[in-house]
Every structure is written in structure tokens, then in C-alpha cells.
């Protein structure tokens, strides 16, 4: 339990809350801890959104899949990250995404019905949790808009530059790690993996960047005011 509380305390939803307040919120929302193997679904598209979750360990991917099995990765989840909370705000909502373990993981599920019951607002800790919840939703919407910007680019090259530009802007430096493998990044940007790899190599050969697996270093600023690290 102590390890779970440590992870939750580091999560944006529980930031600044005491262990007692965190435990009370878990109880109010009927928290349930579950473990998953790699490639096992934490949540499945088409199911009712009865709970949202917080990843306690391991990693997972939020993705959509069409009728023919083509995947679109929306985000990568790590310890402390929240998922499916957007659906918690709409009673009776049906999930349109899968959350799948990218490695063995554990997650805490919190009941959406209890979130909307109003019980949390009766305590200071619950009120702070709800504030964090709204801030978290706003952040997710901004990242979704960012992804739409990447997807709106007309070429694989433009999509890559848009994505890496956003990563560098978010980190405030020209050197950073991305949370995706090559295939996952291709799925995230909706491009062919071989085309992605070929374009990355061309950008490297042109002197615009260096990379090793998921670690990138942009060698020339993409916007004024950035400095290579």
C-alpha cells in the first residue's frame, strides 16, 4: 500500500494531497487495483466507461483501431499517468479507444459514477482532487490538438518535424527522448514505418538532427530562441 500511495502522490491528480486524503478519495471512488500482462487490454473500445484509471507501474498505449486492424496511437502511458478520464465526465459514455499494456503493468481503477456523485466536494482534499482532474482534462485536450496539428501536415517529413518541434518546445531543449518505438511513432503520426525511418535518415544526413533509438538531438533550431544542448 505504501508503494501505491507513493505513486499516486506523484500523479498530477493527487499532487499536494496527504496520504490520508489519497486513501479517502480511493475509498470514495471505490478504487480497485489490477495487474496486466503485456498486450493485455486494460480497457476495451465498445465497453461502457464505468471507470477511469491511473497507471501504477509499467507502460500502456491508448490507441484506436479500425475495422481492418489499422492502429492510431493517441498517447503513451507511464507510471502516474491517468487514462480514460475524459469519458468519466459523460454518464453512459462508450469507450472509443483501447488501452493496452505495452509491458507488464498495474493500474488503479476509480469509478466514474462515484466521481459524479458530488461526495468528493464535501472535503478539502476531494475539492483539490477535482481541481486537478479539470486541469488534467485541459492538458489532455491541448495534447490532442497538438496531435491534430501533426496529422494535418501533408508529408511524412512535415509530420516528423512538427512532432519533434513540439517535443523540443515542451522540453525547452533541443535534446530529448520520445516515448515511442519506431513502429509506435509511425502509428502515432499515421505514416508507414519504412517511410518514417527513411525520412529520419534523410533529416540526419542533412544535418538537421541526430538520433539513437528514442533519443533525439536537433542540431539546428526550429524556432527562434531555442538552443542546442
Amino acid at each position: 500500500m505504501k508503494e501505491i500511495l507513493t505513486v499516486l502522490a506523484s500523479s498530477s491528480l493527487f499532487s499536494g494531497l496527504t496520504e490520508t486524503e489519497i486513501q479517502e478519495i480511493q475509498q470514495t471512488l471505490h478504487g480497485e487495483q489490477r495487474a496486466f500482462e503485456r498486450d493485455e487490454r486494460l480497457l476495451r473500445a465498445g465497453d461502457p466507461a464505468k471507470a477511469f484509471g491511473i497507471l501504477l507501474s509499467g507502460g500502456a498505449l491508448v490507441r484506436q483501431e479500425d475495422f481492418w486492424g489499422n492502429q492510431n496511437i493517441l498517447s503513451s502511458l507511464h507510471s502516474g499517468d491517468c487514462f480514460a478520464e475524459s469519458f468519466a465526465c459523460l454518464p453512459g459514455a462508450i469507450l472509443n479507444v483501447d488501452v493496452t499494456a505495452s509491458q507488464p503493468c498495474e493500474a488503479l481503477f476509480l469509478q466514474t459514477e462515484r466521481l459524479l456523485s458530488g461526495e468528493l466536494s464535501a472535503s478539502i482534499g476531494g475539492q483539490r482532487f477535482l481541481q486537478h482532474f479539470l486541469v488534467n482534462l485541459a492538458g489532455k485536450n491541448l495534447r490532442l490538438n497538438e496531435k491534430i496539428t501533426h496529422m494535418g501536415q501533408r508529408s511524412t517529413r512535415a509530420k516528423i518535424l512538427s512532432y519533434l518541434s513540439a517535443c523540443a518546445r515542451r522540453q525547452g531543449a533541443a535534446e530529448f527522448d520520445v516515448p515511442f518505438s519506431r513502429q509506435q511513432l509511425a502509428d502515432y503520426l499515421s505514416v508507414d514505418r519504412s517511410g518514417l525511418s527513411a525520412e529520419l535518415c534523410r533529416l540526419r544526413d542533412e544535418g538537421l538532427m541526430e538520433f539513437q533509438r528514442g533519443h533525439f538531438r536537433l542540431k539546428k533550431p526550429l524556432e527562434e530562441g531555442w538552443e542546442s544542448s
Side-chain angles (χ1 to χ4, degrees):
M1 175 61 72
K2 188 70 174 180
E3 293 181 358
I4 295 175
L5 289 174
T6 299
V7 174
L8 292 179
S10 68
S11 169
S12 60
L13 288 182
F14 293 95
S15 177
L17 273 67
T18 66
E19 290 188 357
T20 299
E21 289 172 330
I22 293 173
Q23 290 176 319
E24 289 175 349
I25 290 170
Q26 283 191 78
Q27 292 172 359
T28 300
L29 300 182
H30 293 179
E32 178 187 2
Q33 184 180 352
R34 295 175 57 191
F36 299 87
E37 298 297 325
R38 181 174 180 176
D39 295 328
E40 189 176 358
R41 283 187 173 93
L42 286 68
L43 295 174
R44 185 184 299 270
D47 287 348
K50 295 181 178 180
F52 65 101
I54 299 174
L55 204 65
L56 300 175
S57 66
L61 296 172
V62 181
R63 58 190 183 185
Q64 290 178 317
E65 186 173 307
D66 65 18
F67 182 82
W68 297 273
N70 299 308
Q71 294 184 9
N72 176 22
I73 293 179
L74 301 180
S75 63
S76 175
L77 301 173
H78 305 280
S79 178
D81 288 343
C82 189
F83 56 91
E85 69 273 31
S86 297
F87 299 95
C89 298
L90 185 62
I94 301 299
L95 293 166
N96 66 356
V97 297
D98 288 316
V99 181
T100 306
S102 56
Q103 56 183 285
C105 65
E106 291 183 303
L108 176 70
F109 291 90
L110 304 170
Q111 298 300 310
T112 58
E113 181 181 356
R114 307 291 294 182
L115 177 74
L116 300 174
S117 69
E119 293 181 52
L120 289 178
S121 59
S123 67
I124 298 299
Q127 293 173 18
R128 294 176 67 185
F129 176 85
L130 290 173
Q131 291 173 352
H132 294 329
F133 189 88
L134 291 176
V135 170
N136 193 69
L137 279 180
K140 288 287 182 71
N141 284 334
L142 289 175
R143 287 191 289 276
L144 179 59
N145 286 334
E146 187 177 271
K147 176 178 168 63
I148 292 172
T149 298
H150 308 329
M151 297 285 292
Q153 305 302 314
R154 295 188 176 184
S155 66
T156 297
R157 180 188 181 94
K159 289 181 179 181
I160 293 171
L161 292 176
S162 176
Y163 172 73
L164 295 178
S165 173
C167 288
R169 185 183 300 111
R170 190 160 46 247
Q171 293 295 323
E175 190 165 359
F176 49 85
D177 293 315
V178 301
F180 300 122
S181 67
R182 285 288 181 272
Q183 183 60 60
Q184 291 168 355
L185 181 56
D187 290 339
Y188 178 80
L189 295 175
S190 291
V191 299
D192 179 73
R193 177 179 176 174
S194 60
L196 172 73
S197 296
E199 195 60 59
L200 284 172
C201 289
R202 277 193 285 270
L203 290 166
R204 179 194 61 199
D205 294 343
E206 292 172 16
L208 291 177
M209 67 181 66
E210 295 175 351
F211 57 85
Q212 180 66 37
R213 296 184 181 275
H215 186 78
F216 284 80
R217 180 174 182 267
L218 306 186
K219 298 177 67 176
K220 294 182 180 179
L222 297 182
E223 289 190 358
E224 293 183 5
W226 289 3
E227 296 180 359
S228 298
S229 54

